[in-house]
Structures are given as C-alpha cells and as structure tokens.
Amino acid sequence: MEKRVYTYEIIEVCLLAGKIMLESGAETYRVEDTMTRIAMSFGIDHSHSYVTPTGIIFSIDGADPAKLVRISERSTDLRKVTVVNSLSRQIASGILSPQDALTQLRQIEKERDAYPLWIQIFAAFISSGCFLIMYQGQWHDFLPACITGAVGLSGVIFLHRLLEIKFFAEFLSSVVIGLLAFLFVKIGAGHEIDKIIIGSVMPLVPGVLITNAVRDLIAGHLVSGITKGAEAFLTAFAIGTGIAVVFAFY
C-alpha cells in the first residue's frame, strides 16, 4: 500500500511538472524529456508519456492505469519553464522527495504573471518604438508607435479575460491598433502609417509559438508541431485581418 501511494505521488509530480511547462510555452519534446527524467530519478525506469498542446498522457509499467491531464490554457512564461527545469535537476540530484517536489510545483502553479501588468505594457510601449526604428521608420513616428503598441497589448490582455476565443481578442486589438495609427497620421502626429502599424503589432506576434512549432517538427513531434503551427497561423491571420479591416474602411 505504501509503495502504491509513493508511486501515485511520483505520477502526480511528473504530470504537474509537465502541465506547468506546457501551459507556460515549453516545447513538447522538452516536456516529455523532463517527465521521463523525473520518473527515472525516483526509481521508475520505464515510464511512457504522450504530450500534445491540449493534453498529457502519462503511465508507468505495472498495474497503475495511465493518467490524463487536459491543457485548456496556454501562454508564454519562460520563467516557469526555467523554474521547473531547475526543480527537475534538484530531483535528479536527490535533494527533493516526491512530497517536497509536489509541494513546490503546486506553489509554482499558483503563481500568476511573472511581471506586473504595468511592466508588460511598458515593455510593449518601448519595444513597439524600437521595432519601428528597426524596420527603417522615422524618429518622429517613434512615440505614436509606442502608444499604439501599448494600447494594443493592453487590449489583448483585457479582452482575453472577457472572450473565451483568444483569436477574437487579437482581432479586435489589431483593429484598435489600425485605428490609432490612422488617427495619429490624420492629426499629423505620425507620418508613415505602415511603419507605425508594423512596429505596434510586433508585441502580438506569436514568436515563441512559431519557434516551438519548428523545433517540435524537427524533433519528430509532428502532431504537436503542426498543431502549434496552425495556432500561430490563426493568431497571425487574426492580426492581419484586423489591420486589413481598418485599411478597407479608410
């Protein structure tokens, strides 16, 4: 009985570690590798995991049934991925027991955004202007691009809380970005509307998702790679459609 409880805790540790990593934007092969290494560190040499962007199936050889964890929300929080990786190394070193690891993982899962909302918006503010300059925009469009990018990211964050389908939030935020860029050019505060829009939408571009899709495909995880690629395409399509709607009317 004690051995069964011990095995159950190990399975819970592996599943929770994989769940946190997958929800935080980790690659599929990294999640599977981390879960396998944690199981081996606790003395389970034969474990099996199957990870997709929407779920994790994990089992070990024996009488214990396979367990499934559903992944309904995904974001990008590479700090959590790093923390879980560090935790897995401590487990491999024999520093943590299954109970201690499970406690720490539950604390990590409860943590919200690594950075306050105002820092995220400020980062979008600065990066939008920098992207404008990088794409050969003029300095007199720097401030309009900063403001437009900050408003666009704010719109995505707040609309995600209201709308279950995130692509609608990205579409509406892109419409707002297009309207603001047009307004700045109309009143004379901006000059090149295309450069302002390009700089402003860059904080919304799913760069990590595209990178992970390519890495999963290279690693042979075809289902996950294609799925993440489709999600990245839909996000890019929502952004482009929102901007196209503004240009269609103006």
Side-chain angles (χ1 to χ4, degrees):
M1 182 67 181
E2 291 182 0
K3 182 178 180 181
R4 191 173 185 86
V5 172
Y6 182 77
T7 303
Y8 175 78
E9 289 178 341
I10 294 172
I11 295 174
E12 287 295 308
V13 170
C14 295
L15 282 171
L16 186 54
K19 179 175 181 285
I20 293 172
M21 294 181 70
L22 197 60
E23 288 179 340
S24 301
E27 308 93 318
T28 300
Y29 72 87
R30 186 189 300 274
V31 175
E32 290 186 351
D33 181 67
T34 300
M35 294 172 67
T36 302
R37 289 178 182 273
I38 290 175
M40 291 181 64
S41 300
F42 286 133
I44 298 178
D45 296 327
H46 302 288
S47 62
H48 309 278
S49 60
Y50 180 71
V51 178
T52 69
T54 55
I56 301 174
I57 301 175
F58 184 79
S59 69
I60 60 175
D61 287 346
D64 296 282
K67 294 198 67 175
L68 168 68
V69 171
R70 178 75 174 176
I71 306 298
S72 56
E73 295 183 3
R74 294 181 300 277
S75 62
T76 301
D77 190 345
L78 300 183
R79 187 191 69 85
K80 281 189 177 183
V81 177
T82 303
V83 171
V84 174
N85 274 333
S86 176
L87 192 70
S88 70
R89 294 188 185 96
Q90 294 180 40
I91 293 172
S93 302
I95 299 175
L96 296 176
S97 65
Q99 296 86 352
D100 294 334
L102 193 58
T103 300
Q104 292 193 30
L105 285 169
R106 284 171 178 166
Q107 292 176 351
I108 296 170
E109 185 183 26
K110 292 178 181 178
E111 294 177 2
R112 295 296 92 191
D113 296 328
Y115 298 99
L117 183 60
W118 71 269
I119 292 183
Q120 297 180 46
I121 295 174
F122 180 74
F125 179 90
I126 295 298
S127 62
S128 296
C130 293
F131 277 120
L132 175 128
I133 300 301
M134 189 176 74
Y135 288 112
Q136 300 181 350
Q138 302 300 317
W139 280 103
H140 45 65
D141 289 329
F142 183 85
L143 186 58
C146 289
I147 296 173
T148 305
V151 172
L153 183 66
S154 301
V156 168
I157 293 173
F158 289 112
L159 288 171
H160 273 178
R161 299 175 182 176
L162 300 175
L163 302 173
E164 293 185 1
I165 303 177
K166 71 171 188 173
F167 303 112
F168 287 159
E170 290 156 351
F171 168 77
L172 294 174
S173 297
S174 299
V175 171
V176 171
I177 287 175
L179 291 173
L180 270 178
F182 179 81
L183 178 62
F184 278 123
V185 172
K186 191 73 173 178
I187 65 177
H191 296 79
E192 296 179 287
I193 187 172
D194 55 335
K195 297 295 195 302
I196 295 174
I197 289 176
I198 290 172
S200 302
V201 300
M202 288 306 293
L204 308 184
V205 173
V208 174
L209 194 60
I210 294 172
T211 302
N212 287 349
V214 174
R215 295 184 69 174
D216 280 340
L217 286 171
I218 293 174
H221 294 269
L222 302 181
V223 174
S224 297
I226 293 173
T227 303
K228 290 180 180 179
E231 185 178 353
F233 171 79
L234 288 174
T235 299
F237 179 77
I239 295 172
T241 303
I243 298 300
V245 167
V246 175
F247 274 101
F249 285 97
Y250 295 98

